[in-house]
Amino acid sequence: GENVEQHPSTLSVQEGDSAVIKCTYSDSASNYFPWYKQELGKRPQLIIDIRSNVGEKKDQRIAVTLNKTAKHFSLHITETQPEDSAVYFCAASLSIAGGYQKVTFGTGTKLQVIP
Amino acid sequence: DGGITQSPKYLFRKEGQNVTLSCEQNLNHDAMYWYRQDPGQGLRLIYYSQIVNDFQKGDIAEGYSVSREKKESFPLTVTSAQKNPTAFYLCATRLLAGGRYEQFFGPGTRLTVL
């Protein structure tokens, strides 16, 4: 089955600096890669996603890149702010029979933005 | 997200008891999922359902059961056979039509076994 590895597990940056979180996946058939932000005790919220036919996607201070050949994708947050502090999860999603998407999550990165 | 409700928010269970976690949605989404989240780990899939009266086991289904009698509802029962049930449980939904892949999560239920 799919295996998703996420690094680093914790990341501390100064406010205003950039943060990069990296994930690798094992199944080349995965075709959808969402990123979720989860604040303490709250539900995961989708912040950005990318499909396998796209190499890069940007939304204001957040961007995601995908390298299908190397089977890795990354989340980039620029000009970090204290409210960016949270746990971030990557995921790889695979289409299987019946329209079902099997989603495998990474283990999460705890990002701390230091004011 | 506001269209998915989970209850209760906190649940305490004695060993040997079965408990049922509720998940209701008014988004008219077809698919519903249950995930378990443990500290330092990602979300692990317990069960999923794409249509009423049908559901499939996920990666860690042992000790859990579900039903899907209505499109809006997907309750999860944690049975006494689940050896380590203390965790944060998240319900999610997805609209299957239109080629959309996004999952939306409920607020979660924190289960603690005493």
Side-chain angles (χ1 to χ4, degrees), chain A residues 1-2 4 8 30-31 38 50 53 58-59 64 68 78 90 101 104 107 115:
Chain A
E2 175 69 282
V4 176
S30 289
N31 59 355
Q38 186 179 29
I50 192 167
N53 58 348
K58 189 174 182 179
D59 183 5
V64 56
K68 286 198 309 182
T78 59
C90 65
Q101 284 285 117
T104 303
T107 51

Side-chain angles (χ1 to χ4, degrees), chain A residues 76-91:
Chain A
H76 304 253
I77 306 173
T78 59
E79 301 172 18
T80 54
Q81 302 167 3
E83 51 265 38
D84 294 330
S85 296
V87 178
Y88 292 80
F89 291 96
C90 65

Side-chain angles (χ1 to χ4, degrees), chain A residues 31-32 36 38 41-46 49 51 89 93 95-103 105-108, chain B residues 1-2 4 33 35 37 40-43 45 48 50 59 88 90 94 96 99-103 105-107 110:
Chain A
N31 59 355
Y32 172 66
Y36 289 88
Q38 186 179 29
K42 301 287 183 65
R43 75 188 83 190
Q45 300 265 19
L46 181 72
D49 55 10
R51 298 201 181 192
F89 291 96
S93 183
S95 296
I96 61 176
Y100 174 63
Q101 284 285 117
K102 180 170 170 57
V103 184
F105 286 84
T107 51
Chain B
D1 297 1
I4 306 171
Y33 309 77
Y35 290 94
Q37 187 175 28
Q41 297 192 38
L43 282 65
L45 181 65
Y48 65 96
Q50 297 208 126
D59 299 318
F88 189 47
L90 287 159
R94 177 181 161 236
L96 295 182
R100 301 189 62 176
Y101 292 166
E102 302 97 309
Q103 285 184 315
F105 286 88
R110 189 166 297 280

Side-chain angles (χ1 to χ4, degrees), chain A residues 3-22:
Chain A
N3 182 47
V4 176
E5 294 191 359
Q6 183 172 347
H7 300 281
S9 56
T10 60
L11 179 60
S12 291
V13 299
Q14 292 289 331
E15 182 177 357
D17 288 350
S18 295
V20 180
I21 302 170
K22 299 182 179 182

Side-chain angles (χ1 to χ4, degrees), chain A residues 54-73:
Chain A
V54 176
E56 184 174 358
K57 184 177 178 180
K58 189 174 182 179
D59 183 5
Q60 299 184 349
R61 297 186 296 109
I62 295 173
V64 56
T65 59
L66 171 65
N67 183 327
K68 286 198 309 182
T69 302
K71 289 188 281 189
H72 67 70
F73 55 113

